[in-house]
Amino acid sequence: MAAPASDLFYFTSESVSEGHPDKLCDLVSDAIVDECLRQDEHSRVACETACKGNWCAVFGEISSDAKVDFPAVVKQVYKDVGYDDAEYGADYKTLEVEVRISQQSSEIDGAVSKVAEADTGAGDQGLMFGFACNESEELVPLTLLFSHRLVEKLSEVRKSKVLPWLQPDAKSQVTFAYKMEKRVPVPQFADTIVISTQHTPDVSNEVIRQEVIDKVIKAVIPPQYLTEKTKIYVNPSGRFTYGGPKSDAGLTGRKIIVDTYGGWGGHGGGAFSGKDWTKVDRSGSYLARWIAKSLVASKIVDRCLIELSYVIGLAQPISLYVDDFGTSKIPNEELQALVRHNFDMRPGMIASQLDLKKPRFYKTAAYGHFGRTDPSFTWEVPKKLDFSVVKTKWEA
């Protein structure tokens, strides 16, 4: 039986496709990280990308023995995404690529690299969050999960020519109705689903709406969540033939909530893409997610938020915060002791445990860094925990 309307609250998450200009920039930045690591696993990379029209700029600081053909990497990303016509956004064949790359500061390098790798200091100060909950098999909120899956499905049916009139730029937005049960939000039904997708001029709004509902929305959202109350908007602004970098500038790191938890949990403000593992914005956030997911997977908590904070040059985080949202089966001090006992939080050890010195980051740049099942997302594989430090008796 559905919950009374007075007991419900509504929460929304969004995602964007790989062809969205900001995501395109994230992909370029991470493709460069991967190419550097492919040639030199000791590469230090802080790479930003900006795009507008048929122009793309790559800039930042890189210290590496890798010999990277930056324009070739950028053009390959544009080609993979599907930007092969300047009329619809950009054309990889004629793309103008501007490169402004310098060496990483020797002062930063001295702070993080002049020790044994296990004791590598953090590449910057900052705070990082990890979040997990048991409302999906992937242990992420459904609003986030389905937002990603919708735009991912749009890309799939575009590239397979099932819907050949689709173009690369797209956004999704998913609102669920929730009910609080024992301090935990429990999803009830999909309240609103929004998809805005770029298309060629030769297709009608009616065809776009019906085909997107049939081949994307119904293929992604389980039928038990689609009710007579569910509102569906497809291209609510009308026509969307003018998109991609042609209509909007893009920049690395402007979709950080899309990258993480869709507004649930917390966010320290740092972007992930374009950074190697010494940048704790990335590695610390992956660790925090690994911790949170491992705790929820062990069933010692139903919902968990982890915060870590680091200082440049120091290996150990200066703070650890664990929020169990009142769902822990053991006291919070024991929960923190469990985390410290099971996870080495030094950046060098994060890189070793999660295998972050190998190319794997291009895949992360679109459709979320969390809630993925690809084996290269090592932080998504829960760790089997050693509970020997836990004194309180509990049952899974």
Side-chain angles (χ1 to χ4, degrees):
M1 180 179 295
S6 59
D7 292 340
L8 299 177
F9 71 93
Y10 300 84
F11 198 93
T12 303
S13 298
E14 70 164 349
S15 186
V16 298
S17 71
E18 61 190 13
H20 185 282
D22 293 331
K23 268 286 146 244
L24 184 64
C25 290
D26 287 340
L27 284 162
V28 168
S29 292
D30 273 339
I32 289 169
V33 173
D34 277 0
E35 184 56 32
C36 289
L37 292 176
R38 188 172 289 111
Q39 298 183 42
D40 176 11
E41 69 173 19
H42 301 293
S43 297
R44 298 291 182 260
V45 185
C47 179
E48 311 290 345
T49 303
C51 69
K52 176 60 184 173
N54 218 38
W55 170 88
C56 183
V58 174
F59 50 99
E61 300 78 45
I62 298 177
S63 295
S64 174
D65 289 334
K67 306 300 182 186
V68 179
D69 184 341
F70 291 101
V73 171
V74 174
K75 291 182 179 183
Q76 186 62 51
V77 172
Y78 274 63
K79 182 179 180 181
D80 290 345
V81 169
Y83 280 121
D84 56 7
D85 189 333
E87 180 66 24
Y88 294 122
D91 184 354
Y92 75 93
K93 300 183 291 296
T94 58
L95 184 70
E96 178 188 356
V97 180
E98 189 170 343
V99 180
R100 294 290 185 272
I101 298 290
S102 64
Q103 292 280 313
Q104 177 179 268
S105 162
S106 59
E107 294 174 333
I108 295 176
D109 184 63
V112 301
S113 298
K114 305 305 182 185
V115 292
E117 187 166 88
D119 291 316
T120 299
D124 203 351
Q125 70 178 52
L127 49 144
M128 301 85 213
F129 286 91
F131 179 75
C133 61
N134 63 4
E135 67 184 73
S136 68
E137 289 184 7
E138 294 83 357
L139 303 186
V140 293
L142 289 183
T143 56
L144 172 73
L145 181 68
F146 292 143
S147 293
H148 285 320
R149 296 299 174 264
L150 287 170
V151 283
E152 193 171 25
K153 188 67 174 178
L154 279 172
S155 179
E156 176 190 318
V157 297
R158 170 174 60 88
K159 291 181 175 180
S160 65
K161 305 299 183 182
V162 171
L163 299 180
W165 37 263
L166 287 173
Q167 292 295 305
D169 196 359
K171 281 187 172 184
S172 66
Q173 190 168 293
V174 175
T175 302
F176 258 68
Y178 284 85
K179 179 184 179 182
M180 293 298 292
E181 295 181 6
K182 298 180 180 179
R183 301 186 64 183
V184 174
V186 178
Q188 304 294 302
F189 60 88
D191 179 75
T192 308
I193 298 170
V194 182
I195 287 183
S196 295
T197 183
Q198 187 187 7
H199 57 87
T200 56
D202 57 348
V203 60
S204 70
N205 290 1
E206 292 74 19
V207 169
I208 295 169
R209 175 178 170 80
Q210 196 57 55
E211 292 284 76
V212 167
I213 289 174
D214 290 343
K215 294 184 172 62
V216 178
I217 294 175
K218 289 184 176 179
V220 169
I221 309 294
Q224 67 265 29
Y225 293 123
L226 295 174
T227 74
E228 68 279 359
K229 296 180 181 180
T230 302
K231 299 176 287 291
I232 295 177
Y233 299 99
V234 177
N235 284 5
S237 67
R239 306 294 283 168
F240 187 1
T241 60
Y242 186 62
K246 183 177 181 179
S247 67
D248 189 12
L251 186 65
T252 300
R254 281 205 300 210
K255 290 293 177 284
I256 56 177
I257 301 303
V258 169
D259 286 343
T260 52
Y261 305 105
W264 296 97
H267 201 295
F272 300 163
S273 292
K275 299 175 183 177
D276 70 272
W277 62 267
T278 63
K279 283 69 173 176
V280 284
D281 280 336
R282 175 164 237 159
S283 57
S285 295
Y286 289 174
L287 171 66
R289 164 63 176 173
W290 193 34
I291 294 170
K293 187 169 185 178
S294 298
L295 291 175
V296 174
S298 76
K299 300 187 185 305
I300 201 165
V301 296
D302 297 325
R303 195 173 186 84
C304 186
L305 178 71
I306 301 291
E307 187 205 39
L308 304 171
S309 66
Y310 288 86
V311 172
I312 189 169
L314 299 185
Q316 291 287 358
I318 61 169
S319 71
L320 164 68
Y321 170 71
V322 183
D323 187 351
D324 59 64
F325 299 91
T327 68
S328 178
K329 297 178 175 65
I330 61 175
N332 190 268
E333 60 269 20
E334 290 192 31
L335 198 59
Q336 292 212 28
L338 179 67
V339 170
R340 294 185 183 279
H341 180 68
N342 281 275
F343 296 94
D344 192 326
M345 304 179 202
R346 294 173 292 171
M349 292 307 297
I350 301 171
S352 176
Q353 294 169 102
L354 298 181
D355 206 19
L356 300 183
K357 291 183 285 184
K358 294 180 180 177
R360 64 184 60 244
F361 300 113
Y362 182 70
K363 292 180 181 180
T364 70
Y367 312 123
H369 294 248
F370 310 123
R372 307 285 290 274
T373 56
D374 187 303
S376 62
F377 289 67
T378 48
W379 50 93
E380 289 297 301
V381 181
K383 183 176 184 179
K384 185 175 177 58
L385 302 179
D386 173 9
F387 290 96
S388 61
V389 296
V390 175
K391 306 305 179 185
T392 301
K393 292 185 178 181
W394 64 283
E395 295 182 2

